[in-house]
Amino acid sequence: MNLVVCGDSFMSADTGRPGTHFSELLSASGHSVTNLARGGMTNTGIAFQLETASKLQPDAVVFSSTSSDRIDVVIKNRKFNPSKGLKNFVYPYVCDSSTGSQYVGDTNSAVLSDVINAFLFPRPDLPIELHDADRANLVKQYLALFHDTEFKEISDSWILGYWKYKLKEQQIPFIHLYRGAPIGQHMYDYVKQHPDKKTQSVYHTDNHTQTLMAEEIATELLRLKTL
């Protein structure tokens, strides 16, 4: 099957541990996999990944949603272009296998979609415009005065719900992974049980957990294929 994988770090293959992520194990077992996932991505960024996935017309999409305590910021002196879709989003981290893909943005793109600490304590591989103490203070003020996680959870669910509807409309089967979902709990359970090991890889788990994930997703893909 031709698959597209979308989401945040849990869904991202790690360039430092090649061949170990479930998406790579699925590829090794005969599936054709395009991975658009990126560590730190917001649900809005994941929705743009799903838009790109829908245009690729795969046999199925596997994606995760994430927490709503992340933000999207248009970088100073750069402009969002609706026609560019996912290419608007900065993909700066070399540890993500999706970085450099023809379907995603680069360090010159307009929007950084990331965890809050990426803006408060920017890594060296982020655009130079973000290495500005005044900008970090503005982010702190925004979080203190305007950000409401519960409101963001609702709006995020609507954004992702729209793209789930569009995938159904195009008759593209999908597997949505999230905490508490029927599929994918191996990776979330591992992080819960081993919080001290979540930085061992981009995708936060050990190899055995990824094998379990690949087996479970492969079984679900077979079920979806028969529907």
Coordinates of all heavy atoms in Angstrom, one line a residue, residues 166-217:
K166 N -12.5 15.5 5.0 CA -12.0 15.5 3.6 C -11.4 14.2 3.1 O -11.6 13.8 2.0 CB -11.0 16.7 3.4 CG -11.6 18.1 3.7 CD -12.7 18.4 2.7 CE -12.2 18.7 1.3 NZ -13.3 19.1 0.4
L167 N -10.7 13.5 4.0 CA -10.1 12.2 3.7 C -11.3 11.2 3.4 O -11.2 10.4 2.4 CB -9.2 11.7 4.8 CG -7.9 12.4 5.0 CD1 -7.2 11.9 6.2 CD2 -7.0 12.3 3.7
K168 N -12.3 11.2 4.2 CA -13.4 10.4 4.0 C -14.1 10.7 2.7 O -14.5 9.8 1.9 CB -14.4 10.5 5.2 CG -14.0 9.9 6.5 CD -15.0 10.1 7.6 CE -14.6 9.5 8.9 NZ -15.6 9.7 10.0
E169 N -14.3 12.0 2.4 CA -14.9 12.4 1.2 C -14.1 11.9 0.0 O -14.7 11.6 -1.1 CB -14.9 14.0 1.2 CG -15.7 14.6 0.0 CD -15.7 16.1 0.1 OE1 -14.6 16.7 0.1 OE2 -16.8 16.7 0.1
Q170 N -12.8 11.9 0.1 CA -12.0 11.4 -1.0 C -11.8 9.9 -1.0 O -11.0 9.3 -1.8 CB -10.6 12.1 -1.0 CG -10.7 13.6 -1.2 CD -9.3 14.2 -1.2 OE1 -8.4 13.8 -1.8 NE2 -9.2 15.2 -0.3
Q171 N -12.5 9.2 0.0 CA -12.4 7.8 0.2 C -11.0 7.3 0.4 O -10.5 6.3 -0.1 CB -13.0 7.0 -1.0 CG -14.5 7.4 -1.2 CD -15.1 6.6 -2.3 OE1 -14.5 6.2 -3.3 NE2 -16.4 6.3 -2.2
I172 N -10.2 8.1 1.2 CA -8.9 7.7 1.7 C -9.0 7.2 3.1 O -9.2 8.0 4.0 CB -7.9 8.9 1.6 CG1 -7.8 9.4 0.1 CG2 -6.5 8.5 2.1 CD1 -7.0 10.7 0.0
P173 N -8.8 5.9 3.4 CA -8.8 5.4 4.7 C -7.7 6.0 5.6 O -6.6 6.4 5.1 CB -8.6 3.9 4.6 CG -8.8 3.6 3.1 CD -8.5 4.9 2.4
F174 N -8.0 6.2 6.9 CA -7.0 6.7 7.7 C -7.0 6.1 9.1 O -8.0 5.5 9.5 CB -7.1 8.3 7.9 CG -8.4 8.7 8.5 CD1 -8.6 8.7 9.9 CD2 -9.4 9.1 7.6 CE1 -9.8 9.1 10.4 CE2 -10.7 9.5 8.2 CZ -10.8 9.5 9.6
I175 N -5.8 6.1 9.8 CA -5.7 5.7 11.2 C -5.3 6.9 12.0 O -4.2 7.4 11.7 CB -4.7 4.5 11.3 CG1 -5.1 3.3 10.4 CG2 -4.6 4.1 12.8 CD1 -4.0 2.2 10.4
H176 N -6.1 7.3 12.9 CA -5.8 8.4 13.8 C -5.3 7.9 15.1 O -6.0 7.3 15.9 CB -7.1 9.3 14.0 CG -6.9 10.5 14.8 ND1 -7.9 11.3 15.2 CD2 -5.8 11.0 15.3 CE1 -7.5 12.3 16.0 NE2 -6.2 12.1 16.1
L177 N -4.1 8.2 15.5 CA -3.4 7.8 16.7 C -3.5 9.0 17.7 O -3.1 10.1 17.4 CB -2.0 7.4 16.5 CG -1.7 6.4 15.4 CD1 -0.2 6.1 15.3 CD2 -2.5 5.1 15.6
Y178 N -3.9 8.7 18.9 CA -3.9 9.7 20.0 C -4.0 8.9 21.3 O -4.4 7.7 21.3 CB -5.1 10.7 19.8 CG -6.5 10.0 19.7 CD1 -7.2 9.8 20.9 CD2 -7.0 9.6 18.5 CE1 -8.5 9.2 20.8 CE2 -8.2 9.0 18.4 CZ -9.0 8.8 19.6 OH -10.2 8.2 19.5
R179 N -3.8 9.6 22.4 CA -3.9 8.9 23.7 C -5.3 8.4 23.9 O -6.2 9.2 23.9 CB -3.4 9.8 24.8 CG -1.9 10.0 24.8 CD -1.4 11.0 25.9 NE 0.0 11.0 26.0 CZ 0.8 11.8 25.2 NH1 0.3 12.5 24.3 NH2 2.1 11.7 25.4
G180 N -5.5 7.1 24.2 CA -6.8 6.6 24.4 C -7.4 6.0 23.1 O -8.5 5.4 23.2
A181 N -6.8 6.1 22.0 CA -7.3 5.6 20.7 C -7.2 4.1 20.7 O -6.4 3.5 21.4 CB -6.6 6.2 19.5
P182 N -8.0 3.4 19.9 CA -8.0 1.9 19.8 C -6.6 1.4 19.3 O -6.2 0.3 19.6 CB -9.1 1.6 18.8 CG -10.0 2.8 18.8 CD -9.1 4.0 19.0
I183 N -5.9 2.3 18.4 CA -4.7 1.9 17.9 C -3.6 2.8 18.4 O -3.8 4.1 18.5 CB -4.7 2.0 16.3 CG1 -5.9 1.1 15.8 CG2 -3.4 1.5 15.7 CD1 -5.7 -0.4 16.0
G184 N -2.4 2.3 18.6 CA -1.2 3.2 18.9 C -0.9 3.4 20.4 O 0.0 4.2 20.7
Q185 N -1.5 2.7 21.3 CA -1.2 3.0 22.7 C 0.1 2.5 23.1 O 0.6 2.9 24.2 CB -2.3 2.3 23.5 CG -3.7 3.0 23.4 CD -3.6 4.5 23.4 OE1 -3.2 5.1 24.4 NE2 -3.9 5.2 22.3
H186 N 0.8 1.6 22.4 CA 2.1 1.1 22.8 C 3.1 2.3 23.0 O 3.8 2.3 24.0 CB 2.6 0.2 21.7 CG 1.9 -1.1 21.5 ND1 1.7 -2.0 22.5 CD2 1.2 -1.6 20.4 CE1 1.0 -3.0 22.0 NE2 0.6 -2.8 20.8
M187 N 3.1 3.2 22.1 CA 4.0 4.3 22.2 C 3.7 5.3 23.3 O 4.6 5.7 24.1 CB 4.2 5.1 20.9 CG 2.9 5.7 20.4 SD 3.2 6.5 18.7 CE 1.6 7.3 18.5
Y188 N 2.4 5.5 23.5 CA 2.1 6.4 24.6 C 2.3 5.7 26.0 O 2.7 6.4 27.0 CB 0.6 6.8 24.5 CG 0.3 7.6 23.2 CD1 -0.6 7.2 22.3 CD2 1.0 8.8 23.0 CE1 -0.8 7.9 21.1 CE2 0.7 9.5 21.8 CZ -0.2 9.1 20.9 OH -0.4 9.8 19.8
D189 N 2.0 4.5 26.1 CA 2.2 3.7 27.3 C 3.7 3.6 27.7 O 4.1 3.8 28.8 CB 1.7 2.3 27.2 CG 0.1 2.2 27.2 OD1 -0.5 3.3 27.6 OD2 -0.4 1.2 26.8
Y190 N 4.5 3.5 26.6 CA 6.0 3.4 26.9 C 6.5 4.7 27.5 O 7.2 4.7 28.5 CB 6.7 3.1 25.6 CG 8.2 3.0 25.8 CD1 8.8 1.8 26.1 CD2 9.0 4.2 25.8 CE1 10.2 1.7 26.3 CE2 10.4 4.1 26.0 CZ 11.0 2.9 26.3 OH 12.3 2.8 26.5
V191 N 6.1 5.8 27.0 CA 6.5 7.1 27.5 C 6.0 7.3 28.9 O 6.7 7.9 29.8 CB 6.1 8.3 26.6 CG1 6.3 9.6 27.2 CG2 6.8 8.2 25.2
K192 N 4.8 6.9 29.2 CA 4.2 7.0 30.5 C 5.0 6.2 31.5 O 5.2 6.6 32.7 CB 2.7 6.6 30.5 CG 2.0 6.8 31.8 CD 0.5 6.5 31.7 CE -0.2 6.7 33.0 NZ -1.6 6.4 32.9
Q193 N 5.4 5.0 31.1 CA 6.1 4.1 32.0 C 7.6 4.4 32.1 O 8.2 4.0 33.1 CB 5.9 2.6 31.5 CG 4.4 2.2 31.6 CD 4.2 0.9 30.8 OE1 5.1 0.3 30.3 NE2 2.9 0.6 30.6
H194 N 8.1 5.0 31.1 CA 9.6 5.3 31.1 C 9.8 6.8 30.7 O 10.5 7.1 29.7 CB 10.3 4.4 30.1 CG 10.0 3.0 30.2 ND1 10.6 2.2 31.1 CD2 9.1 2.2 29.5 CE1 10.2 0.9 31.0 NE2 9.3 0.9 30.1
P195 N 9.3 7.7 31.6 CA 9.5 9.1 31.3 C 11.0 9.6 31.2 O 11.3 10.5 30.5 CB 8.8 9.8 32.4 CG 8.8 8.8 33.5 CD 8.7 7.5 32.9
D196 N 11.9 8.8 31.8 CA 13.3 9.2 31.8 C 13.9 8.8 30.5 O 15.1 9.2 30.2 CB 14.0 8.5 32.9 CG 13.8 7.0 32.9 OD1 12.7 6.5 32.6 OD2 14.8 6.3 33.2
K197 N 13.2 8.0 29.6 CA 13.8 7.6 28.4 C 13.2 8.2 27.1 O 13.5 7.8 26.0 CB 13.7 6.0 28.3 CG 14.4 5.3 29.3 CD 14.3 3.8 29.2 CE 15.1 3.0 30.3 NZ 15.0 1.6 30.1
K198 N 12.3 9.2 27.3 CA 11.6 9.7 26.2 C 12.5 10.6 25.2 O 12.1 10.9 24.1 CB 10.4 10.6 26.6 CG 10.8 11.8 27.4 CD 9.5 12.5 27.7 CE 9.8 13.9 28.5 NZ 8.5 14.5 28.9
T199 N 13.7 10.9 25.7 CA 14.6 11.6 24.8 C 15.6 10.7 24.1 O 16.5 11.2 23.4 CB 15.4 12.7 25.6 OG1 16.2 12.1 26.6 CG2 14.5 13.7 26.2
Q200 N 15.4 9.4 24.2 CA 16.4 8.5 23.6 C 16.3 8.5 22.1 O 17.3 8.1 21.4 CB 16.1 7.0 24.1 CG 14.8 6.4 23.6 CD 14.6 5.1 24.3 OE1 15.3 4.2 24.0 NE2 13.5 5.0 25.1
S201 N 15.2 9.0 21.5 CA 15.0 9.1 20.1 C 14.0 10.1 19.8 O 13.3 10.6 20.7 CB 14.5 7.7 19.5 OG 13.3 7.4 20.1
V202 N 13.9 10.6 18.6 CA 12.9 11.5 18.2 C 11.5 11.0 18.5 O 10.7 11.8 19.0 CB 13.0 11.8 16.6 CG1 11.8 12.7 16.2 CG2 14.3 12.6 16.3
Y203 N 11.3 9.7 18.3 CA 10.0 9.1 18.5 C 9.7 8.6 19.9 O 8.7 8.0 20.2 CB 9.7 8.0 17.4 CG 10.8 7.0 17.3 CD1 11.0 6.0 18.3 CD2 11.7 7.0 16.2 CE1 12.0 5.1 18.2 CE2 12.7 6.1 16.1 CZ 12.8 5.1 17.1 OH 13.8 4.2 17.0
H204 N 10.7 8.8 20.8 CA 10.5 8.7 22.3 C 10.5 7.2 22.8 O 10.4 7.1 24.0 CB 9.2 9.3 22.7 CG 9.1 10.8 22.4 ND1 10.1 11.7 22.6 CD2 8.1 11.4 21.7 CE1 9.7 12.9 22.2 NE2 8.5 12.7 21.6
T205 N 10.5 6.2 22.0 CA 10.4 4.9 22.5 C 11.6 4.0 22.1 O 12.5 4.4 21.3 CB 9.1 4.2 22.0 OG1 9.3 3.7 20.6 CG2 7.9 5.1 22.0
D206 N 11.6 2.8 22.6 CA 12.6 1.8 22.2 C 12.2 1.1 20.9 O 11.1 1.2 20.4 CB 12.9 0.8 23.3 CG 11.7 0.0 23.7 OD1 10.6 0.1 23.1 OD2 11.8 -0.9 24.6
N207 N 13.1 0.2 20.4 CA 12.9 -0.5 19.1 C 11.7 -1.5 19.2 O 10.9 -1.6 18.3 CB 14.1 -1.2 18.7 CG 15.2 -0.2 18.3 OD1 15.0 1.0 18.3 ND2 16.4 -0.8 18.0
H208 N 11.6 -2.1 20.4 CA 10.6 -3.2 20.6 C 9.2 -2.5 20.4 O 8.3 -3.1 19.8 CB 10.7 -3.8 21.9 CG 9.6 -4.8 22.2 ND1 9.4 -6.0 21.5 CD2 8.7 -4.8 23.2 CE1 8.4 -6.6 22.0 NE2 7.9 -5.9 23.0
T209 N 9.0 -1.3 21.0 CA 7.7 -0.6 21.0 C 7.4 -0.3 19.5 O 6.2 -0.4 19.1 CB 7.8 0.6 21.8 OG1 8.1 0.3 23.2 CG2 6.4 1.3 21.8
Q210 N 8.4 0.1 18.7 CA 8.2 0.4 17.3 C 7.8 -0.8 16.5 O 6.9 -0.8 15.6 CB 9.4 1.1 16.7 CG 9.7 2.4 17.3 CD 8.6 3.4 17.0 OE1 8.1 3.6 15.9 NE2 8.1 4.1 18.1
T211 N 8.3 -2.0 16.9 CA 7.9 -3.2 16.2 C 6.5 -3.6 16.5 O 5.7 -3.9 15.6 CB 8.8 -4.4 16.7 OG1 10.2 -4.1 16.3 CG2 8.4 -5.7 16.1
L212 N 6.1 -3.4 17.8 CA 4.7 -3.6 18.2 C 3.8 -2.6 17.4 O 2.7 -3.0 17.0 CB 4.5 -3.4 19.7 CG 5.2 -4.4 20.6 CD1 5.0 -4.0 22.1 CD2 4.6 -5.8 20.4
M213 N 4.2 -1.4 17.3 CA 3.4 -0.4 16.5 C 3.2 -0.8 15.1 O 2.1 -0.7 14.5 CB 4.1 1.0 16.6 CG 4.0 1.7 18.0 SD 2.4 2.3 18.4 CE 2.1 3.4 17.1
A214 N 4.3 -1.2 14.5 CA 4.3 -1.6 13.0 C 3.3 -2.8 12.9 O 2.5 -2.8 11.9 CB 5.7 -2.0 12.5
E215 N 3.4 -3.8 13.7 CA 2.5 -4.9 13.6 C 1.0 -4.5 13.8 O 0.2 -5.0 13.1 CB 2.9 -6.0 14.7 CG 4.3 -6.6 14.4 CD 4.7 -7.5 15.6 OE1 4.1 -7.4 16.7 OE2 5.8 -8.2 15.4
E216 N 0.8 -3.7 14.8 CA -0.6 -3.3 15.0 C -1.2 -2.5 13.9 O -2.3 -2.7 13.4 CB -0.7 -2.5 16.3 CG -2.1 -2.1 16.7 CD -2.1 -1.3 18.0 OE1 -1.2 -0.5 18.3 OE2 -3.0 -1.5 18.8
I217 N -0.4 -1.6 13.3 CA -0.8 -0.7 12.2 C -1.0 -1.6 11.0 O -2.0 -1.4 10.2 CB 0.2 0.5 12.0 CG1 0.0 1.4 13.2 CG2 -0.1 1.2 10.7 CD1 1.1 2.5 13.2

